[in-house]
Structure formats: C-alpha cells, structure tokens
Amino acid sequence: MSANTQDAQEYLVEVQTTTQETVVTPLDINVVTPLDNTSSKNVSGEKKKIVGVFYKGNEYAKLNPDFVGCVEGALGIRQWLESQGHQYIVTDDKEGPDSELERNLYDAHVIISTPFHPAYVTAERIKKAKNLELLLTAGIGSDHIDLKAAAAAGITVAEVTGSNVVSVAEDELMRILILIRNFLPGYHQSVNGEWNVAGIAHRAYDLEGKTVGTVGAGRIGKLLLQRLKPFNCNLLYFDRIRMDLGLEKEIGAKFEEDLDAMLPKCDVIVINTPLTEQTRGLFDKDKISKCKKGVLIVNNARGAIMDTQAVADACSNGHVAGYSGDVWFPQPAPKDHPWRYMPNHAMTPHVSGTTIDAQLRYAAGVKDMLDRHFRGEDFPEQNYIVKEGQLASQYR
C-alpha cells in the first residue's frame, strides 16, 4: 500500500483556516474510504442506480493503483456499491442525445461528475431524470449543473469541499513563477536544441517585491496567499467577505474593497472566485483594460469568468504579458480555441485539482456522502451546494 493510500484510509481531510495558521485536520466522521471495500448497511434497503462520469485513463490507468479519478479507477467504489446491490454505471460518454449518460438519465438516482470532465446537467436533463435524488461533484465546483433547476426539482447537490484546495493553490504558485520567470521559452529552447539567453532574460523578473492580488480569498485564495508570504510580495485580496483580521495580519495581506481599484496595483492577478451569475464574463475587455499594462494573470477557477476573446486580444497586443491556467470554456476545449494560439500563455488541460493525493481525498469524500445518503443522514454542512431547494450563499 502506498503512503498516499494509507493517508486516505486514515483521514478525509478538510483544510481549516484559523487565526494562527492553515492546518490539515481529520474530519470528525467515520470514513469509509474508496480503497476499503467493507460493506456498510443500507438502511432503506432500496437499490440505487449510480452513474459516474469521469475521464478515461486509457494506457495510464494501470500505471498507478491510486489513480482512482478515471473511468477505469471509478473512484475505487465499484465493489463497495455492487456488494450492496446498487448498480454503478461509469462512462466518459456524456455529450449528445445518444451518449451513455443520456441513455442512463431516465432511471438514475445519483450522478457523480468531476470538474475535469464535467457532465453538464442541464435543466432539460434534470427534467428527464425522474428518479434523480443526488448530484455529487468529485472535487470542487458545481457550475456544470443548473443549480436553480436542481433546487426547483428538490435534488440535492454536493461537492467534496476542501478536497483539492492544496493541489490547486500549489499549482497557482507554480504558474505565477512560470510566467514571471519567463520559463516556457527556455524550456522550448532546450527541447529544440537552441541557446538564446536574451530571448528569455529580456522579460524575466523576480517575484520578490511584486504586487500579487487574488480575486477571491476563500480556501484556495488563503492558501495561495500563505504560500506567497515567504517570497516577500505585496499581497492584496478582494472578496465579498473579509478574512479574519488575525489571519490577515499573519499573512500580511491587505483587503481591497473595490476590485477596480485593486487591479491597476497588481503585477500578478490570480482568479480564485467561483463561477456564478455575478462572475460569469467578469473579466471582459473593460475590466482587463483596468489592469496594469504588462500584468500576468493566473486562472485556475473557471474559464467562463474570463471573456475568451478579450483575453486573447490582450495577450496579442501586450496589455496582458502572460496568461496561465487550466480552466477553459467549454471543456474539453476545442482545437480552435483562441487561447491555444495566443502569445505568452502557459495553458494546460484541467489538471490542477486532480493530483493523485486530491483524487484519494475526493474519492473518499464521495464514498462518505453516498454512505450517508443510503443511511438517510446529512452530509457535512459545508459540502452542500443545493439543500432542500436552497442554493449555497455564494451561488445566490
């Protein structure tokens, strides 16, 4: 058993922010983890149909036994579910009227999806799914679901809050350094057998002394700010809720009440806000024009927060000196997506929150919530996105 698996079997972790530090602590629950196939009692005795939509592991599926976030890994819960008589359909086929997801909508009780290969659960699909009780996100971010339609239909929506916040915050820090040090041209020179120091050095800077602002300072934003502190940056944050003043002082971050006032101060801007009706398309041509010329932008939140063409244009004309992220709209991104071809980008597929460590955590969280659902018990309150017809506050 690997150390990662052992860790997952001991804890389902939640990142908790205190006035002293951000610590990782075990949740006070009896966790049934994805690699522990011990049966738990199904109180109602009712057999459920669960549909999981994940990306395919293909030839990589056998390379790591902890690779549970793919179709082949199936979150490691197949044996556990089937031992209780439940039906578990797992697929990557999710688009169009003839997809496997569509064919299984009509009698599905639970749909599990991830932000990395999202199953778009529209109002139309919710209307077809007469038996649907529960929509689970294996990870964080449920904007692939029509939340208002789910609420109106009395369907519970939940995600594994905190499961991959460390993974995403670490990735954001990496992207900041990649952009500010102009890393990618040097890598490409190495691959192509070239040696042109000037082609890299003319736009490579130190992170120390730069001003970094995060748009959103929830779990991920706080972790990023904490990780940036040793770099001696000037740290700013904009959020609808001000963080605890003790933590704010410890991190050394300054609260900005006005986003438009913060943007021109920043050398680096990191997007850490959820996708809501208020943030969709927030960074349009006008908003980007308020940023400092030569700004670097990192976005691991959601692609639709940005105006796609406005970002591409700003990178092309040099107003944005570099853009990096792993979120696109739509996902998967089509081959002709303009972000693939804009200059000075460091884009990747949506991977930041699906490290092996994160997979084990969100798989354990999904299993715990399914177990509670079968028992008729509530989930941890912070996991709910829609409960009893009400949306979580950040989505209202």
Side-chain angles (χ1 to χ4, degrees):
M1 180 185 300
S2 72
N4 288 339
T5 305
Q6 180 64 43
D7 178 65
Q9 290 189 337
E10 291 176 353
Y11 300 112
L12 171 61
V13 296
E14 175 188 22
V15 176
Q16 297 179 333
T17 304
T18 70
T19 58
Q20 299 299 318
E21 60 181 345
T22 297
V23 295
V24 179
T25 58
L27 287 173
D28 185 22
I29 57 175
N30 181 22
V31 177
V32 185
T33 65
L35 300 180
D36 172 8
N37 289 303
T38 304
S39 295
S40 58
K41 185 178 180 182
N42 180 2
V43 173
S44 69
E46 184 181 354
K47 308 308 178 187
K48 304 288 187 180
K49 181 175 184 178
I50 297 96
V51 179
V53 181
F54 315 116
Y55 53 84
K56 279 188 175 179
N58 297 315
E59 68 271 24
Y60 306 104
K62 296 180 180 179
L63 298 182
N64 189 336
D66 292 337
F67 185 14
V68 296
C70 59
V71 167
E72 294 85 346
L75 299 184
I77 58 176
R78 181 178 295 282
Q79 183 180 336
W80 173 71
L81 284 171
E82 292 178 351
S83 71
Q84 299 180 66
H86 302 301
Q87 184 182 7
Y88 188 31
I89 306 294
V90 177
T91 183
D92 74 320
D93 183 18
K94 61 189 179 69
E95 304 295 342
D98 297 323
S99 66
E100 191 164 2
L101 171 61
E102 194 82 14
R103 292 195 300 270
N104 284 284
L105 275 177
Y106 300 92
D107 57 349
H109 297 92
V110 180
I111 296 175
I112 308 168
S113 184
T114 75
F116 321 107
H117 187 75
Y120 292 100
V121 184
T122 61
E124 182 182 5
R125 281 180 161 171
I126 287 172
K127 189 175 181 180
K128 293 177 183 177
K130 303 298 185 183
N131 294 341
L132 195 57
E133 305 165 352
L134 176 62
L135 291 164
L136 289 179
T137 298
I140 303 172
S142 297
D143 47 88
H144 54 283
I145 298 166
D146 188 320
L147 300 179
K148 289 185 177 180
I155 297 167
T156 299
V157 182
E159 56 190 43
V160 192
T161 299
S163 60
N164 55 16
V165 292
V166 169
S167 312
V168 177
E170 287 184 357
D171 188 273
E172 288 177 342
L173 178 58
M174 174 190 73
R175 291 175 191 275
I176 292 171
L177 290 168
I178 283 172
L179 289 178
I180 207 161
R181 299 303 294 266
N182 204 24
F183 172 84
L184 282 176
Y187 169 75
H188 290 142
Q189 284 186 28
S190 298
V191 171
N192 296 329
E194 301 168 358
W195 190 280
N196 179 7
V197 174
I200 306 162
H202 78 287
R203 57 193 308 270
Y205 296 87
D206 295 336
L207 181 53
E208 185 175 51
K210 302 301 184 293
T211 298
V212 181
T214 175
V215 182
R219 290 176 174 85
I220 296 171
K222 288 186 181 75
L223 286 175
L224 175 66
L225 291 170
Q226 288 177 314
R227 282 154 175 74
L228 284 168
K229 183 181 179 182
F231 288 88
N232 297 318
C233 304
N234 303 310
L235 301 176
L236 308 177
Y237 76 96
F238 169 81
D239 200 286
R240 61 192 181 93
I241 301 173
R242 187 168 185 173
M243 71 174 70
D244 178 90
L245 294 182
L247 180 63
E248 184 179 285
K249 182 178 180 181
E250 180 197 340
I251 295 174
K254 181 178 181 293
F255 176 60
E256 295 279 339
E257 295 184 9
D258 187 326
L259 176 59
D260 288 349
M262 183 183 83
L263 293 179
K265 301 175 184 177
C266 297
D267 301 296
V268 181
I269 294 168
V270 186
I271 311 300
N272 275 311
T273 186
L275 177 63
T276 66
E277 291 182 6
Q278 289 71 40
T279 63
R280 185 178 298 275
L282 174 64
F283 276 79
D284 55 11
K285 182 179 180 180
D286 178 65
K287 192 70 72 179
I288 292 172
S289 72
K290 291 179 169 61
C291 299
K292 180 186 296 187
K293 182 175 173 58
V295 69
L296 304 174
I297 299 178
V298 172
N299 179 17
N300 281 2
R302 286 297 180 267
I305 293 171
M306 317 300 288
D307 180 309
T308 297
Q309 194 59 51
V311 170
D313 291 345
C315 285
S316 296
N317 65 34
H319 191 85
V320 172
Y323 184 91
S324 183
D326 72 334
V327 288
W328 309 66
F329 184 77
Q331 290 191 172
K335 291 184 179 181
D336 62 351
H337 196 291
W339 289 358
R340 293 184 184 271
Y341 309 105
M342 62 189 183
N344 303 320
H345 81 77
M347 294 298 296
T348 65
H350 196 169
V351 295
S352 63
T354 189
T355 62
I356 295 299
D357 303 276
Q359 288 176 43
L360 292 170
R361 290 192 291 265
Y362 64 66
V366 166
K367 187 171 186 181
D368 174 68
M369 286 191 287
L370 285 174
D371 188 42
R372 289 169 182 255
H373 182 67
F374 299 151
R375 294 171 180 268
E377 299 174 359
D378 283 344
F379 305 152
E381 193 63 32
Q382 68 271 16
N383 287 13
Y384 284 106
I385 303 301
V386 176
K387 181 182 181 183
E388 296 175 350
Q390 296 297 315
L391 275 67
S393 59
Q394 67 267 34
Y395 288 98
R396 293 174 191 166

